[in-house]
Amino acid sequence: TSMSAPNVTGTLLLLQEYYEDLNASFMRAATLKGLALHTADDVASTGPDAETGWGLLNAKAAAETIAAAGVSSEVLELNLTNGGTYQVTIQSNGVDPLLASISWTDPAGAVNNGTNSNTPALVNDLDLRLDNGTSFTPWRLTGVTTNGTGDNDVDPYERVDITSASGQYTLTVTHKGTLSSGSQNFSLVVTGGVIAATSPEISYGTVTTSSTEGTD
């Protein structure tokens, strides 16, 4: 642990620097956290676990996700208003697993002096779903040594994994109850797919070009 903290801290700072080089602004804390968890290498049982969390930090994968944003990945900073819904269509690339994450900085809640309380403490509970006729729910811990998928009402980070994704999926972000202060900033990270264009266009770079369609 003596080297893990400076290693992770330095890596996150380099990712902030790289993002700022490309976008002329720094990531929100929730975006940086979400990106790190989204791109981590799973090193234990599939999904999050109580010993290794989401896995081993992968700076290369995180940097590649930043570089490919809007082309083959998505890194977006958004806001959900009270009672609102954020919904987009995701086109999977049909090759890589489709992973979608939301991350947010939850407002401070009431002080809890209890021990090992299992009462959810989120102030603003956002929910992520992917759907293509089948609804895909995020990871969650179900016990000290077990995990699964379903409604996650305890973590300010949610990730949905679809290992054999193909075609299009509807991504939806909603919330439970009433949002504190009337809205909640959140960050969206997607790999293995991108937001589908609402008006796709096929065109030539020059109008004098012609081509004959092949049989393939």
Side-chain angles (χ1 to χ4, degrees):
T1 57
S2 60
M3 278 306 297
S4 64
N7 186 356
V8 170
T9 302
T11 300
L12 296 181
L13 181 59
L14 288 171
L15 290 173
Q16 277 283 33
E17 181 181 17
Y18 183 53
Y19 184 92
E20 197 273 340
D21 286 343
L22 297 181
N23 298 282
S25 63
F26 292 106
M27 288 178 275
R28 296 172 181 167
T31 309
L32 182 59
K33 179 187 74 173
L35 180 68
L37 300 183
H38 184 102
T39 57
D41 290 331
D42 206 343
V43 293
S45 58
T46 302
D49 63 84
E51 291 186 350
T52 65
W54 287 93
L56 184 66
L57 182 67
N58 187 329
K60 181 174 183 289
E64 289 173 343
T65 300
I66 292 172
V71 179
S72 60
S73 68
E74 301 288 353
V75 180
L76 300 173
E77 297 185 331
L78 305 162
N79 178 271
L80 189 68
T81 57
N82 193 48
T85 297
Y86 174 80
Q87 191 169 78
V88 291
T89 299
I90 301 295
Q91 176 67 53
S92 69
N93 64 23
V95 178
D96 302 305
L98 176 61
L99 275 60
S101 299
I102 56 171
S103 175
W104 67 99
T105 300
D106 198 46
V111 174
N112 185 344
N113 292 318
T115 302
N116 295 330
S117 171
N118 57 10
T119 301
L122 282 177
V123 174
N124 290 336
D125 183 2
L126 273 55
D127 292 310
L128 172 67
R129 299 290 186 270
L130 287 178
D131 190 282
N132 68 343
T134 299
S135 181
F136 296 88
T137 52
W139 285 103
R140 61 178 182 172
L141 295 181
T142 55
V144 176
T145 59
T146 58
N147 64 23
T149 58
D151 183 43
N152 186 328
D153 61 357
V154 297
D155 299 313
Y157 172 79
E158 295 189 0
R159 194 178 90 189
V160 176
D161 295 6
I162 305 176
T163 55
S164 300
S166 64
Q168 294 188 337
Y169 297 79
T170 300
L171 183 151
T172 305
V173 179
T174 56
H175 70 87
K176 298 182 182 71
T178 301
L179 293 176
S180 173
S181 301
S183 66
Q184 174 64 58
N185 288 334
F186 72 97
S187 304
L188 173 68
V189 180
V190 178
T191 53
V194 292
I195 295 175
T198 55
S199 300
E201 178 183 331
I202 300 174
S203 61
Y204 288 110
T206 170
V207 295
T208 60
T209 300
S210 63
S211 178
T212 301
E213 182 180 2
T215 58
D216 57 353

